[in-house]
Amino acid sequence: MRKILTGNYAVAEAVKLADVEFIAAYPITPQTTIVERLAEMVERGELNAEFVRVESEHSALAAVYGASAGGLRAFTATSSHGLLYMYEMCWWVANSRLPVVMAVVTRTIGPPWNIHTEHTDILTLRDTGWIIAMSENAQEALDLTLLGFKIAEQVNLPFAIGLDGFQVSHTAEVVDVPESLDGFLPKRERFFVIEPGNPITVGGLTENECSMTIRKEMAKDMERVGELVRNSGYVRDYDLVEEYRMEDAEYVVISMGAWCGDMKDAIDILREKGVQIGMLRLRFVRPFPKEFVEKLDCKVLVVDRNYSVGLGGIIATEVKSIANCDVHGIVAGLGGVDVGVDDFVSMFRKFVRGELKGWWP
Amino acid sequence: MLEVMILSFGGQGGVTAARILAIAALNEGKFAQAIPQFGAERRGALVRSYLRISDRPIRRHSSIKDPDVVAIFSEKILGIVDVSAETVVINSKEPKIKGRVYYVDASSIALDLGLISAGWPIVNTAMAGAMARVFGFSIESLKKAIGETFSGKLAELNVKAAEKAYREVKEWNA
């Protein structure tokens, strides 16, 4: 059924459809309306879940950790400073192989205090072992949340869905909400069980080799994610990337998130003027869609809404480590600085002419 | 694609009006985006909210810089903001500014129906009625959208406000 929903409400609808059993969260702008909506759903009896209010994000993910280890389908959501505050628990969840799903509404990390979008926050998860997806719009925020539960429970790795703060989280747009999931999401199966009377240890002190084995096994399961996404059986087809007007492209833009919609409009304008340009949009950052980047045979521009001080844009750095062609990186829109269709038209023109520098604006 | 900027004071319902019109656009078989001002909205402060309406899916998410239509929820806003757009919809007994102006006395409509909060007329649904007329939406699409947004007696009163403004809005060219 088609509805007008914000990205945050679309995520809440997905959590409800997934019959999530446990939610713990701490409010932070621009994430707050996800858990506000979920609290309403629980209160009205639309969602049969335990909703635990906690005193911090660290506690939120700790509570979700316990619930997930105990076998429940569990969810949380956060942004920016909240994600950093729960960072230690992010590693506990990943290495304990718990299929937690978390929405990360991307927001600039301060100081100075700033509530607008930037992707540096969600990218702090990149080494943890979480699957990381980034939505372009409210529809994808809903779809990727549902896919998140499916994939996370298939590979026993946690799943983070990114939504650009305000641009997706608070923009109300047309979303097709499935009436039901028709068995898409079966009851969660556990590969270890904690229950009363049968104690096991999770995360205790071990031989060093055990730590290494855990990371190697996580890597193996992470490798399966692409295939599982492509064959998920969801009502809409998904892959780790979206290829837009790539057929005969001499120039390819790589980026992720809400502004990719603006980039597509810019690409259409340039295509009309005869510029052979397309886009490889990263729908997933982990696993990194290596196979799509490796086969590129053209001039590549990576537009990063994040920055690693001392090296450069994070995605550009990763693309350069994989690509077999020329890669130019540009950092843009940090701190939520607005970058729209007109900006991308002139950015891409400069790129084609070989005149583009490293920062925009 | 039609791009709209709504200028209101916090508490007048500019954000809700954008949301209702997006639902009405969906009811018309169109695509729409309702975008609140990103940041802190405060009662009494000038609030900008935005609306995009299109026959095709809307992909862009950047802000609207050059709107086709500006809706002004209070005459006082003209003293704060320099308004320039091809089309203006204003809450006023008179057109007030030059150009293609649609004007309607939304404040009186809201006051007559008792749509008042903390002493202010809440003009969102009356202004939504005027804008729906300007966009060429049917009154049914709008009524349905209001029905999804409010319930009971409040829905009834808001539908009345929207219908009245939809009927009474006047066009003026100068």
Side-chain angles (χ1 to χ4, degrees):
Chain A
M1 188 188 173
R2 290 185 352 148
K3 291 181 177 176
I4 295 284
L5 288 178
T6 64
N8 278 357
Y9 278 18
V11 169
E13 289 296 326
V15 170
K16 181 172 127 181
L17 278 165
D19 285 327
V20 164
E21 297 163 293
F22 186 92
I23 301 158
Y26 191 82
I28 180 168
T29 303
Q31 172 281 128
T32 306
T33 56
I34 297 178
V35 291
E36 235 172 47
R37 184 83 187 94
L38 287 170
E40 272 173 26
M41 289 170 169
V42 172
E43 176 69 22
R44 290 182 194 153
E46 295 169 16
L47 173 61
N48 185 22
E50 188 80 27
F51 188 106
V52 178
R53 290 175 296 162
V54 287
E55 79 285 7
S56 77
E57 285 86 355
H58 189 280
S59 305
L61 197 53
V64 161
Y65 176 99
S68 185
L72 299 180
R73 186 170 283 160
F75 174 84
T76 188
T78 193
S79 292
S80 187
H81 291 258
L83 180 66
L84 300 190
Y85 200 15
M86 65 165 62
Y87 195 55
E88 182 197 9
M89 288 311 302
C90 293
W91 290 76
W92 274 87
V93 165
N95 282 14
S96 303
R97 308 298 303 266
L98 297 175
V100 165
V101 173
M102 170 165 69
V104 177
V105 183
T106 59
R107 162 182 161 176
T108 306
I109 301 167
W113 220 227
N114 185 324
I115 56 173
H116 296 103
T117 190
E118 192 187 303
H119 301 155
T120 314
D121 62 352
I122 193 170
L123 288 172
T124 62
L125 286 177
R126 69 189 185 276
D127 302 334
T128 56
W130 284 64
I131 301 163
I132 306 171
M134 190 73 201
S135 59
E136 184 189 308
N137 48 44
Q139 181 71 62
E140 252 189 24
L142 181 142
D143 292 347
L144 290 174
T145 304
L146 285 169
L147 269 179
F149 287 105
K150 175 99 178 189
I151 306 291
E153 291 172 16
Q154 282 173 319
V155 295
N156 290 293
L157 289 170
F159 192 112
I161 311 104
L163 299 72
D164 279 272
F166 294 103
Q167 295 199 339
V168 175
S169 69
H170 284 62
T171 297
E173 52 190 3
V174 181
V175 180
D176 191 356
V177 183
E179 302 279 330
S180 78
L181 294 183
D182 289 328
F184 167 72
L185 210 51
K187 194 148 179 59
R188 184 186 151 197
E189 278 178 36
R190 291 183 279 168
F191 82 115
F192 65 80
V193 177
I194 302 178
E195 58 189 354
N198 182 22
I200 61 163
T201 302
V202 179
L205 188 65
T206 63
E207 302 286 324
N208 293 351
E209 285 72 16
C210 181
S211 296
M212 191 148 173
T213 304
I214 282 173
R215 297 296 279 182
K216 270 166 84 178
E217 286 183 355
M218 287 166 72
K220 260 192 261 167
D221 279 325
M222 188 62 96
E223 289 295 321
R224 295 166 54 210
V225 169
E227 209 45 43
L228 292 171
V229 169
R230 283 185 283 278
N231 300 307
S232 73
Y234 188 61
V235 288
R236 271 173 286 281
D237 287 336
Y238 277 107
D239 205 331
L240 298 181
V241 298
E242 179 195 359
E243 293 174 296
Y244 185 71
R245 305 194 79 164
M246 292 269 289
E247 323 78 64
D248 55 348
E250 290 173 13
Y251 304 92
V252 166
V253 180
I254 296 181
S255 196
M256 64 180 196
W259 65 1
C260 291
D262 290 74
M263 290 184 195
K264 288 177 198 166
D265 285 352
I267 285 167
D268 285 0
I269 291 167
L270 291 172
R271 280 272 177 180
E272 269 173 36
K273 302 221 160 32
V275 182
Q276 284 173 281
I277 186 165
M279 181 167 65
L280 185 70
R281 176 168 68 90
L282 305 185
R283 200 179 270 127
F284 285 75
V285 185
R286 289 292 181 275
F288 199 85
K290 290 190 282 264
E291 60 277 27
F292 294 92
V293 173
E294 271 164 1
K295 69 178 185 200
L296 292 177
D297 180 24
C298 53
K299 289 198 158 59
V300 173
L301 171 67
V302 182
V303 190
D304 267 300
R305 189 163 220 161
N306 63 76
Y307 188 56
S308 174
V309 181
L311 186 54
I314 292 165
I315 303 298
T317 303
E318 299 201 335
V319 168
K320 280 175 190 166
S321 76
I322 295 160
N324 297 302
C325 55
D326 277 355
V327 179
H328 182 89
I330 186 161
V331 173
L334 298 186
V337 167
D338 193 42
V339 185
V341 178
D342 296 345
D343 295 287
F344 288 124
V345 168
S346 64
M347 180 193 289
F348 298 165
R349 275 215 176 99
K350 280 191 175 167
F351 169 62
V352 166
R353 289 198 303 258
E355 294 167 1
L356 195 61
K357 300 281 194 299
W359 288 81
W360 188 283
Chain B
M1 183 163 59
L2 187 73
E3 293 191 315
V4 184
M5 186 199 291
I6 296 175
L7 296 169
S8 64
F9 290 121
Q12 284 189 304
V15 174
T16 308
R19 184 77 65 88
I20 288 169
L21 286 163
I23 298 171
L26 177 66
N27 294 342
E28 290 276 311
K30 293 177 185 293
F31 292 89
Q33 265 182 358
I35 313 169
Q37 173 163 295
F38 296 160
E41 289 137 10
R42 298 168 306 280
R43 188 171 166 80
L46 182 69
V47 174
R48 290 178 172 84
S49 28
Y50 303 92
L51 182 66
R52 287 192 172 103
I53 299 165
S54 174
D55 292 326
R56 296 190 305 156
I58 300 166
R59 304 186 294 194
R60 62 185 67 184
H61 285 87
S62 54
S63 70
I64 292 173
K65 293 161 200 86
D66 189 14
D68 306 297
V69 179
V70 174
I72 301 165
F73 276 32
S74 165
E75 290 172 17
K76 286 183 193 142
I77 289 166
L78 292 174
I80 309 172
V81 186
D82 240 349
V83 175
S84 76
E86 203 179 298
T87 303
V88 172
V89 187
I90 187 166
N91 170 18
S92 173
K93 292 185 177 75
E94 304 152 26
K96 285 287 172 190
I97 49 174
K98 284 187 177 168
R100 183 166 165 243
V101 180
Y102 293 86
Y103 61 102
V104 66
D105 187 2
S107 295
S108 297
I109 291 173
L111 285 171
D112 289 348
L113 288 162
L115 292 168
I116 299 165
S117 172
W120 288 9
I122 308 301
V123 297
N124 50 12
T125 40
M127 286 302 286
M131 283 190 273
R133 175 80 178 276
V134 174
F135 302 156
F137 292 177
S138 74
I139 189 69
E140 275 67 37
S141 295
L142 182 64
K143 282 162 72 172
K144 208 170 144 229
I146 293 170
E148 285 175 38
T149 310
F150 302 100
S151 57
K153 181 80 182 158
L154 200 57
E156 225 175 89
L157 290 172
N158 278 294
V159 163
K160 275 186 188 156
E163 278 179 319
K164 191 145 198 262
Y166 191 90
R167 269 197 319 269
E168 290 184 359
V169 63
K170 290 188 185 70
E171 186 182 351
W172 190 76
N173 264 298

